[in-house]
Amino acid sequence: MKFRPHVPNNCPPEDANFTSGEVYRMTKEKPSDSDFLSFRELKPEKSYPSECIASGLSVYTKIEGVRRLQARIPRFRKMNVARGNLNKTHGKMKNTPSQLHESHHTWWLESNCTPWAFFEILNDEDDT
């Protein structure tokens, strides 16, 4: 599997799994390519403790994870929650629990993956 060009060698880690199932991510409006950029892509000049983690995207496998993110961090309150259904062609991911929620995962996208095409915005009543 080929990953995006900014993903370093030896990444994703060997214990990462092929993507599968529903995941949630914050988006500004209707999902677009700018909502699916890694920290490495957003700030190429910055130094990160883990280049591998910085080259992946944060997603949650449970809606409670993104809702807690919205509740605790003001800049996320005005953002939308988007849901995507992943399969093994979309890349690899690894559970990287955060202080906010144990369902946090890092997702390394396959080089031709266009997640904005299959993620959809959820309404508040969609929290199931």
Side-chain angles (χ1 to χ4, degrees), residues 46-85:
K46 187 172 178 178
S47 177
Y48 293 97
S50 169
E51 283 298 320
C52 188
I53 296 294
S55 70
L57 297 180
S58 288
V59 294
Y60 291 85
T61 56
K62 295 184 179 175
I63 189 75
E64 297 86 11
V66 290
R67 294 299 184 205
R68 188 174 293 168
L69 185 67
Q70 285 182 307
R72 305 268 303 279
I73 302 174
R75 70 182 172 100
F76 289 118
R77 290 183 189 144
K78 294 181 181 176
M79 294 180 78
N80 294 303
V81 176
R83 175 179 57 205
N85 196 8

mmCIF file of all heavy atoms in Angstrom, residues 46-85:
data_model
loop_
_atom_site.group_PDB
_atom_site.id
_atom_site.type_symbol
_atom_site.label_atom_id
_atom_site.label_comp_id
_atom_site.label_asym_id
_atom_site.label_seq_id
_atom_site.Cartn_x
_atom_site.Cartn_y
_atom_site.Cartn_z
ATOM 1 N N LYS A 46 7.279 22.999 11.358
ATOM 2 C CA LYS A 46 7.252 22.693 12.791
ATOM 3 C C LYS A 46 7.906 21.347 13.092
ATOM 4 O O LYS A 46 7.879 20.424 12.286
ATOM 5 C CB LYS A 46 5.801 22.692 13.284
ATOM 6 C CG LYS A 46 5.695 22.563 14.774
ATOM 7 C CD LYS A 46 4.282 22.764 15.273
ATOM 8 C CE LYS A 46 4.281 22.564 16.780
ATOM 9 N NZ LYS A 46 3.016 22.770 17.382
ATOM 10 N N SER A 47 8.463 21.263 14.284
ATOM 11 C CA SER A 47 9.050 20.012 14.753
ATOM 12 C C SER A 47 8.037 19.315 15.659
ATOM 13 O O SER A 47 7.402 19.957 16.496
ATOM 14 C CB SER A 47 10.328 20.321 15.532
ATOM 15 O OG SER A 47 10.866 19.147 16.057
ATOM 16 N N TYR A 48 7.879 18.009 15.483
ATOM 17 C CA TYR A 48 6.915 17.230 16.261
ATOM 18 C C TYR A 48 7.634 16.104 16.995
ATOM 19 O O TYR A 48 8.616 15.566 16.488
ATOM 20 C CB TYR A 48 5.840 16.639 15.351
ATOM 21 C CG TYR A 48 4.951 17.677 14.726
ATOM 22 C CD1 TYR A 48 5.207 18.144 13.440
ATOM 23 C CD2 TYR A 48 3.869 18.200 15.413
ATOM 24 C CE1 TYR A 48 4.400 19.110 12.858
ATOM 25 C CE2 TYR A 48 3.056 19.164 14.843
ATOM 26 C CZ TYR A 48 3.324 19.619 13.567
ATOM 27 O OH TYR A 48 2.529 20.578 13.007
ATOM 28 N N PRO A 49 7.124 15.722 18.175
ATOM 29 C CA PRO A 49 7.740 14.601 18.911
ATOM 30 C C PRO A 49 7.729 13.300 18.113
ATOM 31 O O PRO A 49 8.642 12.501 18.217
ATOM 32 C CB PRO A 49 6.877 14.465 20.168
ATOM 33 C CG PRO A 49 6.142 15.744 20.295
ATOM 34 C CD PRO A 49 6.030 16.318 18.918
ATOM 35 N N SER A 50 6.669 13.103 17.303
ATOM 36 C CA SER A 50 6.584 11.905 16.476
ATOM 37 C C SER A 50 6.177 12.307 15.065
ATOM 38 O O SER A 50 5.046 12.729 14.826
ATOM 39 C CB SER A 50 5.552 10.925 17.034
ATOM 40 O OG SER A 50 5.301 9.894 16.094
ATOM 41 N N GLU A 51 7.109 12.195 14.137
ATOM 42 C CA GLU A 51 6.806 12.511 12.738
ATOM 43 C C GLU A 51 5.735 11.572 12.188
ATOM 44 O O GLU A 51 4.914 11.971 11.374
ATOM 45 C CB GLU A 51 8.065 12.431 11.883
ATOM 46 C CG GLU A 51 8.963 13.627 12.037
ATOM 47 C CD GLU A 51 8.308 14.925 11.594
ATOM 48 O OE1 GLU A 51 7.599 14.955 10.573
ATOM 49 O OE2 GLU A 51 8.512 15.933 12.297
ATOM 50 N N CYS A 52 5.749 10.339 12.645
ATOM 51 C CA CYS A 52 4.760 9.376 12.172
ATOM 52 C C CYS A 52 3.354 9.813 12.584
ATOM 53 O O CYS A 52 2.444 9.866 11.759
ATOM 54 C CB CYS A 52 5.095 7.985 12.710
ATOM 55 S SG CYS A 52 4.069 6.685 11.999
ATOM 56 N N ILE A 53 3.160 10.143 13.857
ATOM 57 C CA ILE A 53 1.845 10.586 14.330
ATOM 58 C C ILE A 53 1.448 11.895 13.649
ATOM 59 O O ILE A 53 0.308 12.072 13.228
ATOM 60 C CB ILE A 53 1.834 10.736 15.870
ATOM 61 C CG1 ILE A 53 2.070 9.384 16.536
ATOM 62 C CG2 ILE A 53 0.538 11.376 16.353
ATOM 63 C CD1 ILE A 53 0.990 8.363 16.348
ATOM 64 N N ALA A 54 2.391 12.819 13.486
ATOM 65 C CA ALA A 54 2.102 14.105 12.849
ATOM 66 C C ALA A 54 1.687 13.950 11.384
ATOM 67 O O ALA A 54 1.005 14.812 10.834
ATOM 68 C CB ALA A 54 3.313 15.024 12.950
ATOM 69 N N SER A 55 2.072 12.860 10.757
ATOM 70 C CA SER A 55 1.733 12.652 9.345
ATOM 71 C C SER A 55 0.376 11.975 9.155
ATOM 72 O O SER A 55 -0.097 11.830 8.034
ATOM 73 C CB SER A 55 2.818 11.831 8.656
ATOM 74 O OG SER A 55 2.802 10.497 9.106
ATOM 75 N N GLY A 56 -0.258 11.574 10.251
ATOM 76 C CA GLY A 56 -1.579 10.948 10.173
ATOM 77 C C GLY A 56 -2.677 11.925 10.566
ATOM 78 O O GLY A 56 -2.410 13.053 10.984
ATOM 79 N N LEU A 57 -3.913 11.477 10.441
ATOM 80 C CA LEU A 57 -5.073 12.285 10.814
ATOM 81 C C LEU A 57 -5.700 11.743 12.085
ATOM 82 O O LEU A 57 -5.743 10.537 12.294
ATOM 83 C CB LEU A 57 -6.138 12.242 9.710
ATOM 84 C CG LEU A 57 -5.770 12.807 8.355
ATOM 85 C CD1 LEU A 57 -6.955 12.660 7.407
ATOM 86 C CD2 LEU A 57 -5.364 14.262 8.467
ATOM 87 N N SER A 58 -6.235 12.648 12.891
ATOM 88 C CA SER A 58 -6.964 12.245 14.092
ATOM 89 C C SER A 58 -8.410 11.922 13.728
ATOM 90 O O SER A 58 -9.092 12.730 13.095
ATOM 91 C CB SER A 58 -6.975 13.381 15.116
ATOM 92 O OG SER A 58 -5.712 13.537 15.682
ATOM 93 N N VAL A 59 -8.842 10.750 14.135
ATOM 94 C CA VAL A 59 -10.240 10.340 13.999
ATOM 95 C C VAL A 59 -10.646 9.627 15.284
ATOM 96 O O VAL A 59 -9.791 9.195 16.058
ATOM 97 C CB VAL A 59 -10.487 9.427 12.773
ATOM 98 C CG1 VAL A 59 -10.258 10.164 11.463
ATOM 99 C CG2 VAL A 59 -9.644 8.163 12.838
ATOM 100 N N TYR A 60 -11.933 9.535 15.484
ATOM 101 C CA TYR A 60 -12.480 8.824 16.644
ATOM 102 C C TYR A 60 -13.394 7.718 16.143
ATOM 103 O O TYR A 60 -14.111 7.903 15.162
ATOM 104 C CB TYR A 60 -13.275 9.779 17.537
ATOM 105 C CG TYR A 60 -12.410 10.791 18.242
ATOM 106 C CD1 TYR A 60 -12.048 11.981 17.618
ATOM 107 C CD2 TYR A 60 -11.934 10.552 19.518
ATOM 108 C CE1 TYR A 60 -11.240 12.906 18.253
ATOM 109 C CE2 TYR A 60 -11.127 11.474 20.172
ATOM 110 C CZ TYR A 60 -10.783 12.653 19.533
ATOM 111 O OH TYR A 60 -9.987 13.556 20.168
ATOM 112 N N THR A 61 -13.374 6.596 16.825
ATOM 113 C CA THR A 61 -14.254 5.493 16.442
ATOM 114 C C THR A 61 -15.581 5.544 17.194
ATOM 115 O O THR A 61 -16.481 4.774 16.895
ATOM 116 C CB THR A 61 -13.577 4.130 16.679
ATOM 117 O OG1 THR A 61 -13.169 4.047 18.050
ATOM 118 C CG2 THR A 61 -12.377 3.956 15.755
ATOM 119 N N LYS A 62 -15.695 6.466 18.144
ATOM 120 C CA LYS A 62 -16.951 6.667 18.874
ATOM 121 C C LYS A 62 -17.311 8.143 18.842
ATOM 122 O O LYS A 62 -16.444 9.004 19.037
ATOM 123 C CB LYS A 62 -16.823 6.192 20.321
ATOM 124 C CG LYS A 62 -16.609 4.705 20.424
ATOM 125 C CD LYS A 62 -16.583 4.248 21.857
ATOM 126 C CE LYS A 62 -16.379 2.724 21.870
ATOM 127 N NZ LYS A 62 -16.217 2.221 23.220
ATOM 128 N N ILE A 63 -18.580 8.430 18.614
ATOM 129 C CA ILE A 63 -19.064 9.812 18.537
ATOM 130 C C ILE A 63 -18.761 10.580 19.816
ATOM 131 O O ILE A 63 -18.511 11.790 19.782
ATOM 132 C CB ILE A 63 -20.577 9.840 18.179
ATOM 133 C CG1 ILE A 63 -21.043 11.267 17.877
ATOM 134 C CG2 ILE A 63 -21.415 9.244 19.285
ATOM 135 C CD1 ILE A 63 -20.626 11.782 16.561
ATOM 136 N N GLU A 64 -18.742 9.907 20.953
ATOM 137 C CA GLU A 64 -18.474 10.575 22.226
ATOM 138 C C GLU A 64 -17.106 11.268 22.224
ATOM 139 O O GLU A 64 -16.930 12.294 22.877
ATOM 140 C CB GLU A 64 -18.526 9.589 23.399
ATOM 141 C CG GLU A 64 -19.867 8.942 23.615
ATOM 142 C CD GLU A 64 -20.066 7.685 22.760
ATOM 143 O OE1 GLU A 64 -19.097 7.184 22.153
ATOM 144 O OE2 GLU A 64 -21.218 7.220 22.696
ATOM 145 N N GLY A 65 -16.170 10.724 21.479
ATOM 146 C CA GLY A 65 -14.837 11.315 21.408
ATOM 147 C C GLY A 65 -14.850 12.704 20.815
ATOM 148 O O GLY A 65 -14.269 13.637 21.375
ATOM 149 N N VAL A 66 -15.518 12.882 19.679
ATOM 150 C CA VAL A 66 -15.559 14.217 19.064
ATOM 151 C C VAL A 66 -16.474 15.153 19.839
ATOM 152 O O VAL A 66 -16.222 16.348 19.904
ATOM 153 C CB VAL A 66 -15.941 14.182 17.574
ATOM 154 C CG1 VAL A 66 -14.846 13.594 16.736
ATOM 155 C CG2 VAL A 66 -17.236 13.479 17.332
ATOM 156 N N ARG A 67 -17.522 14.651 20.443
ATOM 157 C CA ARG A 67 -18.397 15.502 21.253
ATOM 158 C C ARG A 67 -17.644 16.027 22.474
ATOM 159 O O ARG A 67 -17.791 17.180 22.866
ATOM 160 C CB ARG A 67 -19.671 14.761 21.670
ATOM 161 C CG ARG A 67 -20.580 14.401 20.502
ATOM 162 C CD ARG A 67 -21.060 15.627 19.776
ATOM 163 N NE ARG A 67 -22.010 15.248 18.720
ATOM 164 C CZ ARG A 67 -22.236 15.973 17.651
ATOM 165 N NH1 ARG A 67 -21.617 17.112 17.477
ATOM 166 N NH2 ARG A 67 -23.099 15.564 16.745
ATOM 167 N N ARG A 68 -16.798 15.196 23.068
ATOM 168 C CA ARG A 68 -15.991 15.643 24.203
ATOM 169 C C ARG A 68 -14.974 16.681 23.741
ATOM 170 O O ARG A 68 -14.719 17.663 24.431
ATOM 171 C CB ARG A 68 -15.295 14.458 24.855
ATOM 172 C CG ARG A 68 -14.595 14.858 26.148
ATOM 173 C CD ARG A 68 -14.035 13.684 26.885
ATOM 174 N NE ARG A 68 -15.109 12.838 27.384
ATOM 175 C CZ ARG A 68 -14.929 11.625 27.875
ATOM 176 N NH1 ARG A 68 -13.715 11.119 27.931
ATOM 177 N NH2 ARG A 68 -15.937 10.920 28.299
ATOM 178 N N LEU A 69 -14.403 16.477 22.556
ATOM 179 C CA LEU A 69 -13.479 17.444 21.979
ATOM 180 C C LEU A 69 -14.168 18.792 21.821
ATOM 181 O O LEU A 69 -13.615 19.839 22.192
ATOM 182 C CB LEU A 69 -12.989 16.921 20.621
ATOM 183 C CG LEU A 69 -11.929 17.701 19.885
ATOM 184 C CD1 LEU A 69 -10.605 17.661 20.613
ATOM 185 C CD2 LEU A 69 -11.769 17.136 18.473
ATOM 186 N N GLN A 70 -15.386 18.800 21.304
ATOM 187 C CA GLN A 70 -16.136 20.043 21.142
ATOM 188 C C GLN A 70 -16.430 20.706 22.487
ATOM 189 O O GLN A 70 -16.374 21.927 22.603
ATOM 190 C CB GLN A 70 -17.464 19.775 20.426
ATOM 191 C CG GLN A 70 -17.309 19.529 18.949
ATOM 192 C CD GLN A 70 -18.645 19.313 18.288
ATOM 193 O OE1 GLN A 70 -19.433 18.476 18.713
ATOM 194 N NE2 GLN A 70 -18.899 20.070 17.254
ATOM 195 N N ALA A 71 -16.762 19.920 23.474
ATOM 196 C CA ALA A 71 -17.106 20.463 24.787
ATOM 197 C C ALA A 71 -15.896 21.062 25.507
ATOM 198 O O ALA A 71 -16.035 22.037 26.242
ATOM 199 C CB ALA A 71 -17.748 19.375 25.653
ATOM 200 N N ARG A 72 -14.718 20.495 25.283
ATOM 201 C CA ARG A 72 -13.545 20.914 26.046
ATOM 202 C C ARG A 72 -12.679 21.960 25.349
ATOM 203 O O ARG A 72 -11.944 22.678 26.008
ATOM 204 C CB ARG A 72 -12.667 19.699 26.361
ATOM 205 C CG ARG A 72 -13.359 18.561 27.074
ATOM 206 C CD ARG A 72 -13.334 18.538 28.573
ATOM 207 N NE ARG A 72 -12.163 18.549 29.353
ATOM 208 C CZ ARG A 72 -11.379 17.522 29.639
ATOM 209 N NH1 ARG A 72 -11.578 16.346 29.114
ATOM 210 N NH2 ARG A 72 -10.377 17.669 30.465
ATOM 211 N N ILE A 73 -12.752 22.033 24.008
ATOM 212 C CA ILE A 73 -11.870 22.949 23.277
ATOM 213 C C ILE A 73 -12.724 23.923 22.460
ATOM 214 O O ILE A 73 -13.363 23.522 21.481
ATOM 215 C CB ILE A 73 -10.878 22.172 22.386
ATOM 216 C CG1 ILE A 73 -10.056 21.226 23.272
ATOM 217 C CG2 ILE A 73 -9.987 23.127 21.603
ATOM 218 C CD1 ILE A 73 -9.141 20.302 22.541
ATOM 219 N N PRO A 74 -12.741 25.202 22.859
ATOM 220 C CA PRO A 74 -13.642 26.186 22.245
ATOM 221 C C PRO A 74 -13.595 26.279 20.719
ATOM 222 O O PRO A 74 -14.638 26.416 20.082
ATOM 223 C CB PRO A 74 -13.223 27.510 22.890
ATOM 224 C CG PRO A 74 -12.660 27.110 24.208
ATOM 225 C CD PRO A 74 -11.986 25.784 23.963
ATOM 226 N N ARG A 75 -12.426 26.175 20.109
ATOM 227 C CA ARG A 75 -12.357 26.349 18.646
ATOM 228 C C ARG A 75 -13.100 25.250 17.881
ATOM 229 O O ARG A 75 -13.446 25.423 16.717
ATOM 230 C CB ARG A 75 -10.917 26.467 18.170
ATOM 231 C CG ARG A 75 -10.100 25.211 18.250
ATOM 232 C CD ARG A 75 -8.665 25.493 17.794
ATOM 233 N NE ARG A 75 -7.804 24.372 18.038
ATOM 234 C CZ ARG A 75 -7.447 23.499 17.109
ATOM 235 N NH1 ARG A 75 -7.863 23.640 15.879
ATOM 236 N NH2 ARG A 75 -6.658 22.494 17.428
ATOM 237 N N PHE A 76 -13.349 24.117 18.539
ATOM 238 C CA PHE A 76 -14.067 23.027 17.874
ATOM 239 C C PHE A 76 -15.590 23.144 18.014
ATOM 240 O O PHE A 76 -16.324 22.430 17.345
ATOM 241 C CB PHE A 76 -13.607 21.663 18.410
ATOM 242 C CG PHE A 76 -12.212 21.303 17.972
ATOM 243 C CD1 PHE A 76 -11.207 21.125 18.906
ATOM 244 C CD2 PHE A 76 -11.899 21.158 16.628
ATOM 245 C CE1 PHE A 76 -9.914 20.797 18.516
ATOM 246 C CE2 PHE A 76 -10.621 20.834 16.226
ATOM 247 C CZ PHE A 76 -9.621 20.658 17.168
ATOM 248 N N ARG A 77 -16.065 24.023 18.868
ATOM 249 C CA ARG A 77 -17.511 24.127 19.116
ATOM 250 C C ARG A 77 -18.295 24.559 17.889
ATOM 251 O O ARG A 77 -19.448 24.193 17.733
ATOM 252 C CB ARG A 77 -17.776 25.072 20.285
ATOM 253 C CG ARG A 77 -17.311 24.456 21.585
ATOM 254 C CD ARG A 77 -17.621 25.310 22.783
ATOM 255 N NE ARG A 77 -16.942 24.725 23.936
ATOM 256 C CZ ARG A 77 -16.397 25.399 24.905
ATOM 257 N NH1 ARG A 77 -16.470 26.725 24.918
ATOM 258 N NH2 ARG A 77 -15.787 24.781 25.883
ATOM 259 N N LYS A 78 -17.670 25.357 17.030
ATOM 260 C CA LYS A 78 -18.360 25.843 15.830
ATOM 261 C C LYS A 78 -18.155 24.929 14.625
ATOM 262 O O LYS A 78 -18.689 25.166 13.566
ATOM 263 C CB LYS A 78 -17.889 27.250 15.489
ATOM 264 C CG LYS A 78 -18.293 28.268 16.533
ATOM 265 C CD LYS A 78 -17.832 29.643 16.162
ATOM 266 C CE LYS A 78 -18.242 30.617 17.254
ATOM 267 N NZ LYS A 78 -17.748 31.964 17.007
ATOM 268 N N MET A 79 -17.382 23.879 14.821
ATOM 269 C CA MET A 79 -17.113 22.965 13.711
ATOM 270 C C MET A 79 -18.175 21.872 13.650
ATOM 271 O O MET A 79 -18.937 21.666 14.594
ATOM 272 C CB MET A 79 -15.716 22.360 13.855
ATOM 273 C CG MET A 79 -14.607 23.404 13.703
ATOM 274 S SD MET A 79 -12.952 22.723 13.861
ATOM 275 C CE MET A 79 -12.753 21.981 12.251
ATOM 276 N N ASN A 80 -18.204 21.194 12.531
ATOM 277 C CA ASN A 80 -19.135 20.094 12.322
ATOM 278 C C ASN A 80 -18.467 18.760 12.612
ATOM 279 O O ASN A 80 -17.248 18.624 12.499
ATOM 280 C CB ASN A 80 -19.605 20.077 10.861
ATOM 281 C CG ASN A 80 -20.412 21.287 10.516
ATOM 282 O OD1 ASN A 80 -21.422 21.570 11.133
ATOM 283 N ND2 ASN A 80 -19.955 22.031 9.517
ATOM 284 N N VAL A 81 -19.291 17.792 12.939
ATOM 285 C CA VAL A 81 -18.813 16.421 13.070
ATOM 286 C C VAL A 81 -19.177 15.692 11.782
ATOM 287 O O VAL A 81 -20.332 15.721 11.349
ATOM 288 C CB VAL A 81 -19.462 15.712 14.279
ATOM 289 C CG1 VAL A 81 -19.023 14.257 14.340
ATOM 290 C CG2 VAL A 81 -19.114 16.436 15.570
ATOM 291 N N ALA A 82 -18.178 15.077 11.170
ATOM 292 C CA ALA A 82 -18.408 14.316 9.944
ATOM 293 C C ALA A 82 -18.125 12.840 10.216
ATOM 294 O O ALA A 82 -17.251 12.506 11.021
ATOM 295 C CB ALA A 82 -17.517 14.823 8.822
ATOM 296 N N ARG A 83 -18.880 12.000 9.551
ATOM 297 C CA ARG A 83 -18.725 10.546 9.704
ATOM 298 C C ARG A 83 -18.359 9.944 8.361
ATOM 299 O O ARG A 83 -18.914 10.299 7.323
ATOM 300 C CB ARG A 83 -20.026 9.931 10.201
ATOM 301 C CG ARG A 83 -19.990 8.405 10.267
ATOM 302 C CD ARG A 83 -21.285 7.825 10.786
ATOM 303 N NE ARG A 83 -22.401 8.268 9.963
ATOM 304 C CZ ARG A 83 -23.665 8.350 10.399
ATOM 305 N NH1 ARG A 83 -23.968 8.017 11.628
ATOM 306 N NH2 ARG A 83 -24.626 8.757 9.591
ATOM 307 N N GLY A 84 -17.407 9.015 8.404
ATOM 308 C CA GLY A 84 -17.028 8.275 7.210
ATOM 309 C C GLY A 84 -16.966 6.797 7.527
ATOM 310 O O GLY A 84 -16.681 6.404 8.654
ATOM 311 N N ASN A 85 -17.257 5.994 6.540
ATOM 312 C CA ASN A 85 -17.188 4.543 6.705
ATOM 313 C C ASN A 85 -15.966 4.056 5.929
ATOM 314 O O ASN A 85 -15.938 4.109 4.704
ATOM 315 C CB ASN A 85 -18.473 3.883 6.200
ATOM 316 C CG ASN A 85 -18.596 2.465 6.692
ATOM 317 O OD1 ASN A 85 -17.828 2.003 7.516
ATOM 318 N ND2 ASN A 85 -19.584 1.758 6.173
#
